Amino acid sequence: MDLKFDSANFLQYNIPMGLREKELIKYFKSLGLEVHTTTKARGHQGFYMKNRIDISNNIPECRIIPTLLHEFAHYIHSKLEPQMLRTGGSLEILFDDTNTECYKEELIEVTLFVDKNSKCEKLEQHKQLVKEKILEQEKIIKKTYPKFQRSKKFKEFDNYIKKSNAKYLLKYDRVKLFTGMFFKKCEIYSIENIEKDFCDMPEAFAAYIRLNSWRKKQSRISAKINKLKKYYQKPTELFARLVEGLYLNPQRIQIIAPNTCKRFYELLNSGYYKELRNLSGYLSPHHFSN
């Protein structure tokens, strides 16, 4: 269905915020999009898939328009690159340019500005804490075994652990061990109580078990950070956050990403981004003027 709005009137920014949201949704629906604003959006602020936009009912009012624009950017991208939901898209198609390295670098900076979660700050802090815990345990081990290296086999420990139930703590931080054939006995072991549960264990070996546990935590945190960064650096996400950023703070985004913004506005004004052109007023410094 073709848009019947007069875009000049549609983009008047003396319209109250609540009405702007309604006008945006009305516009999206006129394009054949389903728009839902009363869902949890699959755990996200918003979600786009197969001509449907969901906006979480849990987000604050100030986040509704940026989220609507973010998800609409995915819709526009899907028209340029139908397989983008599966592949993550490509900057070459999004910017109609084979030389996109500069755009990518700038877009990552835009994402870090627009979405503070993309910095993974809490995870990075947790990772640093875990690193310190590993070094603490390593220091204890080296008091007795100064040549100890994490990358090499700890032969003295390996010889000891074969005969101890503490070997289960190398895989789990807490275990229940059932013994006895007819009269079952349950023993619970934890890395919190190694010295109590295994009073004959040398301090260095207890430290090695804890070091092993912290290293597993470190791997899990690193995997989570890498997964998040991979998500945030998908071309389709970089593009959507550019659109979102140009609504939130167009002046700042143009400072952060001058080359990307120049190319974006060239393509926007030429109609390359299709119906997004009708929302150009939302992506300009002028929309803050009223």
Side-chain angles (χ1 to χ4, degrees):
M1 184 186 299
D2 293 331
L3 179 64
K4 300 300 182 184
F5 293 110
D6 177 347
S7 61
N9 292 326
F10 176 59
L11 297 172
Q12 291 299 309
Y13 282 90
N14 55 356
I15 298 174
M17 183 68 73
L19 187 55
R20 288 191 216 170
E21 294 163 14
K22 291 177 182 176
E23 288 296 321
L24 272 178
I25 292 170
K26 184 178 178 182
Y27 173 42
F28 295 171
K29 288 182 176 179
S30 78
L31 300 174
L33 281 164
E34 279 188 65
V35 183
H36 300 265
T37 59
T38 58
T39 70
K40 291 185 178 178
R42 301 193 184 188
H44 303 279
Q45 291 190 43
F47 191 83
Y48 168 77
M49 181 176 279
K50 295 180 180 177
N51 284 348
R52 171 173 170 159
I53 290 175
D54 283 14
I55 303 297
S56 174
N57 57 8
N58 293 325
I59 64 173
E61 186 177 356
C62 64
R63 287 294 309 154
I64 295 176
I65 288 181
T67 306
L68 283 168
L69 292 171
H70 178 111
E71 302 310 328
F72 188 67
H74 287 319
Y75 162 71
I76 293 298
H77 185 185
S78 72
K79 297 187 78 173
L80 296 172
E81 198 171 1
Q83 301 303 315
M84 68 87 178
L85 285 174
R86 181 175 56 81
T87 65
S90 69
L91 293 178
E92 287 82 1
I93 291 175
L94 279 165
F95 291 96
D96 196 25
D97 193 340
T98 55
N99 186 16
T100 61
E101 196 55 40
C102 174
Y103 302 147
K104 183 176 181 180
E105 290 175 7
E106 290 184 350
L107 287 166
I108 288 172
E109 292 303 312
V110 169
T111 289
L112 293 174
F113 174 76
V114 169
D115 189 338
K116 296 197 182 336
N117 291 324
S118 65
K119 297 179 182 179
C120 302
E121 288 178 333
K122 289 184 179 178
L123 285 171
E124 292 287 1
Q125 289 169 5
H126 192 193
K127 187 177 178 181
Q128 181 58 34
L129 175 64
V130 168
K131 182 180 178 181
E132 291 168 7
K133 294 291 184 183
I134 289 171
L135 292 173
E136 283 176 18
Q137 301 306 315
E138 185 177 61
K139 189 175 179 181
I140 294 170
I141 297 168
K142 285 188 172 183
K143 284 194 297 184
T144 308
Y145 299 97
K147 293 183 179 180
F148 169 78
Q149 289 181 291
R150 276 179 262 162
S151 59
K152 294 185 178 179
K153 274 192 167 292
F154 191 6
K155 293 180 181 178
E156 295 86 353
F157 174 82
D158 290 343
N159 292 334
Y160 170 87
I161 205 67
K162 290 175 186 175
K163 303 169 187 176
S164 171
N165 284 336
K167 61 189 173 187
Y168 299 109
L169 293 175
L170 291 172
K171 191 171 183 181
Y172 306 104
D173 286 354
R174 188 175 183 274
V175 294
K176 285 184 179 180
L177 186 63
F178 293 92
T179 57
M181 187 174 293
F182 299 107
F183 300 99
K184 294 288 185 183
K185 181 182 177 183
C186 175
E187 295 177 301
I188 299 175
Y189 301 120
S190 165
I191 62 167
E192 305 287 334
N193 300 311
I194 295 175
E195 289 81 3
K196 181 180 176 183
D197 296 335
F198 305 96
C199 28
D200 63 339
M201 183 183 292
E203 181 186 35
F205 294 170
Y208 183 73
I209 291 174
R210 291 194 173 102
L211 180 146
N212 185 70
S213 173
W214 286 115
R215 288 184 73 183
K216 286 187 291 183
K217 286 185 177 72
Q218 185 182 52
S219 295
R220 289 195 294 270
I221 294 168
S222 294
K224 188 174 282 190
I225 290 172
N226 291 336
K227 184 178 179 180
L228 282 171
K229 286 185 176 178
K230 186 176 179 181
Y231 161 73
Y232 278 112
Q233 291 182 19
K234 284 181 181 179
T236 190
E237 287 300 325
L238 293 173
F239 179 70
R241 294 191 193 284
L242 173 66
V243 171
E244 185 180 345
L246 286 171
Y247 170 76
L248 292 169
N249 194 331
Q251 298 95 335
R252 180 63 180 163
I253 297 303
Q254 288 180 73
I255 291 170
I256 294 173
N259 298 298
T260 306
C261 287
K262 181 175 182 292
R263 184 59 178 159
F264 173 83
Y265 284 124
E266 286 174 357
L267 294 172
L268 181 70
N269 293 329
S270 72
Y272 185 77
Y273 295 132
K274 304 183 184 298
E275 294 90 349
L276 189 60
R277 183 179 184 180
N278 292 322
L279 302 182
S280 60
Y282 281 83
L283 312 176
S284 158
H286 303 299
H287 79 74
F288 282 105
S289 59
N290 290 318

